């Protein structure tokens, strides 16, 4: 059966859709700026579960996932549209008001203006479509396609936390503000992600990144997107992967943590590449921001190698897919 990525690739080629394939589409705005725009669909029981989250967290996440795509272009978010389809039984409650409370709190934080949306009714489950647009200096959006052999691969934060949170939810644990901090941290990473807008803008303003993507499907899958678009390969070092600090109690084996960090999705950190020369220039700024190098780009077309204990193996992308 075809995956959604194969389907998108097919329509992209069949109809020559040149603006498809990155975290956002880039459209000329004026002589100085480009517009970036992205949309994300969240479907109840598929992308979220009502008994795992709260309406406020869900509103936050609906905006956060799209902000993360804007961050991945190195752009500044500015406008948003939100469409919701809700069944009667939910409409009768205060769900949508609370959902907007969570959504609007995050919008305010990043000074994003809501410019419209749509409301409809569904037979049974909630459907949310979140659109965010932003601005970036003309011709300067950071694409997935700019990675070069020899570039270093970095991530903007620790990995596997959202997948750790998902394991807790699957085991029946729910978010409780009085709970232990380590459990809350993992659950919040999954339920209330922080888009890395400032990191994306920092990298773009200083012309550092040659390519960038946000980690929504998992490192292995999202790095594969960079490799495909940039026509390169990559090497990842297992002992350089920064595990989320609170994973240590919930996944004890190194291999288990590595699996969550490589293949667990929704950390919403940024993955970017840059030349060694730029890295030496920016080293101090990097230390302050706690970026982690996890590997380097190779000329080995679309092959991702995982180096663990001195041995190399091919890393198959196992990121999240719906189909
Ligand atoms: P992300 O994980 O960053 O949100 P996706 O994997 O959802 O990105 O999408 C990859 C690319 O394919 C994006 O450029 C997106 O706009 C495009 N895309 C996804 N679904 C469709 C669709 N149904 N029709 C056209 N383009 C699509
Ligand atoms: Mg993305």
């Amino acid at each position: 059966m075809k995956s959604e990525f194969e389907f998108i690739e097919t329509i992209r080629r069949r109809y020559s859709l040149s603006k498809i394939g990155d975290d956002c589409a880039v459209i000329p705005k004026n002589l100085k700026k480009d517009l970036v725009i992205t949309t994300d669909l969240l479907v109840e029981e598929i992308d979220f579960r009502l008994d795992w989250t709260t309406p406020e967290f869900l509103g936050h996440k609906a905006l956060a996932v799209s902000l993360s795509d804007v961050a991945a272009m190195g752009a500044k978010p500015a406008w948003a549209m939100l469409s919701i389809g809700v069944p009667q039984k939910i409409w009768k409650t205060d769900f949508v008001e609370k959902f907007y409370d969570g959504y609007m709190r995050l919008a305010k934080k990043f000074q994003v203006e809501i410019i419209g949306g749509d409301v409809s009714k569904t037979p049974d489950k909630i459907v949310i479509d979140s659109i965010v647009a932003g601005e970036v200096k003309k011709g300067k959006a950071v694409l997935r396609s700019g990675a070069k052999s020899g570039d270093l691969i970095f991530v903007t934060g620790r990995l596997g936390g959202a997948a750790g949170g998902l394991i807790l939810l699957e085991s029946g644990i729910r978010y409780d503000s009085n709970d232990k901090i380590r459990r809350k941290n993992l659950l919040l990473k999954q339920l209330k992600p922080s888009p890395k807008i400032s990191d994306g803008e920092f990298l773009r303003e200083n012309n550092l990144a040659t390519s960038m993507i946000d980690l929504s499907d998992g490192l292995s899958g999202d790095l594969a997107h960079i490799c495909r678009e940039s026509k390169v390969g990559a090497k990842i070092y297992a002992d350089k992967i920064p595990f989320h600090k609170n994973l240590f109690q919930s996944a004890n084996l190194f291999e288990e943590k590595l699996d969550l960090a490589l293949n667990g999705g929704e950390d919403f950190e940024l993955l970017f590449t840059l030349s060694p020369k730029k890295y030496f220039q920016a080293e101090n700024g990097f230390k302050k921001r706690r970026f982690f190098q996890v590997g380097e780009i190779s000329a080995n077309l679309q092959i991702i190698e995982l180096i663990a204990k001195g041995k190399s193996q091919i890393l198959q992308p196992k990121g999240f897919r719906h189909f």
Side-chain angles (χ1 to χ4, degrees):
M1 191 172 61
K2 58 184 178 282
S3 74
E4 59 249 50
F5 303 117
E6 286 158 355
F7 168 72
I8 294 165
E9 273 309 299
T10 307
I11 57 164
R12 194 176 159 190
R13 263 186 263 122
R14 182 174 300 162
Y15 305 108
S16 310
L17 305 174
S18 65
K19 289 194 161 47
I20 288 185
D22 224 297
D23 293 278
C24 292
V26 183
I27 301 164
K29 182 174 184 243
N30 55 33
L31 289 173
K32 290 191 170 159
K33 284 184 173 165
D34 286 331
L35 199 69
V36 300
I37 185 156
T38 178
T39 179
D40 285 282
L41 193 59
L42 298 174
V43 179
E44 183 185 346
E45 299 291 306
I46 304 294
D47 302 296
F48 65 91
R49 284 179 56 166
L50 283 186
D51 59 332
W52 286 5
T53 187
T54 66
E56 289 90 347
F57 285 167
L58 188 60
H60 173 106
K61 188 163 175 177
L63 179 58
V65 297
S66 297
L67 288 175
S68 180
D69 279 327
V70 171
M73 310 304 288
K76 183 176 168 53
W79 305 281
M81 299 182 101
L82 181 66
S83 299
I84 47 169
V86 181
Q88 183 95 29
K89 62 178 188 286
I90 297 287
W91 188 255
K92 283 195 290 191
T93 69
D94 59 359
F95 176 89
V96 283
E97 285 76 11
K98 288 183 166 165
F99 175 87
Y100 265 83
D101 283 346
Y103 182 94
M104 293 306 297
R105 195 169 303 147
L106 187 64
K108 199 169 165 210
K109 180 174 171 190
F110 290 107
Q111 294 167 301
V112 170
E113 184 188 358
I114 314 308
I115 57 166
D118 200 7
V119 179
S120 188
K121 190 160 119 179
T122 57
D124 193 31
K125 305 285 179 222
I126 300 170
V127 178
I128 303 158
D129 179 30
S130 159
I131 297 176
V132 174
E135 290 179 323
V136 64
K137 202 168 156 187
K138 190 151 208 75
K140 295 291 182 187
V142 186
L143 307 180
R144 294 178 179 179
S145 54
K148 299 272 179 303
S149 175
D151 281 355
L152 311 178
I153 305 171
F154 276 82
V155 291
T156 55
R158 296 179 171 275
L159 304 179
L166 188 62
I167 290 176
L168 294 180
L169 290 166
E170 281 167 347
S171 74
I173 293 165
R174 298 290 172 266
Y175 182 81
D176 170 359
S177 55
N178 298 316
D179 203 351
K180 288 188 199 105
I181 192 85
R182 70 160 204 91
R183 279 225 287 245
K184 282 203 296 187
N185 282 345
L186 291 174
L187 289 168
L188 286 173
K189 188 86 190 163
Q190 166 61 224
L191 299 172
K192 194 170 178 270
S194 305
K196 297 298 156 89
I197 299 288
S198 148
D199 288 337
E201 282 192 276
F202 163 80
L203 292 165
R204 211 267 313 146
E205 274 162 14
N206 294 288
N207 266 319
L208 296 172
T210 52
S211 74
M212 185 147 64
I213 189 168
D214 72 323
L215 292 174
S216 56
D217 300 331
L219 175 70
S220 64
D222 288 318
L223 180 56
H225 293 320
I226 291 268
C227 289
R228 192 187 56 242
E229 296 300 321
S230 297
K231 301 187 176 68
V232 292
K235 275 185 190 168
I236 293 292
Y237 298 96
D239 60 0
K240 287 193 175 186
I241 304 281
F243 297 132
H244 189 284
K245 287 206 169 100
N246 298 115
L247 274 186
F248 283 95
Q249 286 108 329
S250 58
N252 283 317
L253 288 170
F254 179 80
E255 277 69 24
E256 275 179 50
K257 282 184 291 217
L258 190 62
D259 179 48
L260 296 181
L262 291 177
N263 304 318
E266 301 205 296
D267 278 319
F268 294 107
E269 297 296 337
L270 301 174
L271 179 146
F272 63 93
T273 56
L274 87 170
S275 69
K277 194 174 148 203
K278 290 266 179 176
Y279 172 62
F280 289 122
Q281 286 167 10
E283 212 174 345
N284 283 336
F286 269 42
K287 291 234 165 76
K288 262 184 240 146
R289 285 184 181 258
R290 296 171 194 274
F291 293 161
F292 301 91
Q293 192 194 341
V294 295
E296 68 233 1
I297 295 292
S298 73
N300 213 350
L301 197 62
Q302 287 188 46
I303 302 288
I304 303 178
E305 289 170 72
L306 177 69
I307 319 286
K309 296 180 189 144
K311 283 196 194 126
S312 165
Q313 66 191 79
I314 303 290
L315 181 65
Q316 297 296 347
K318 278 197 222 120
F320 180 79
R321 352 188 111 179
H322 285 102
F323 299 106

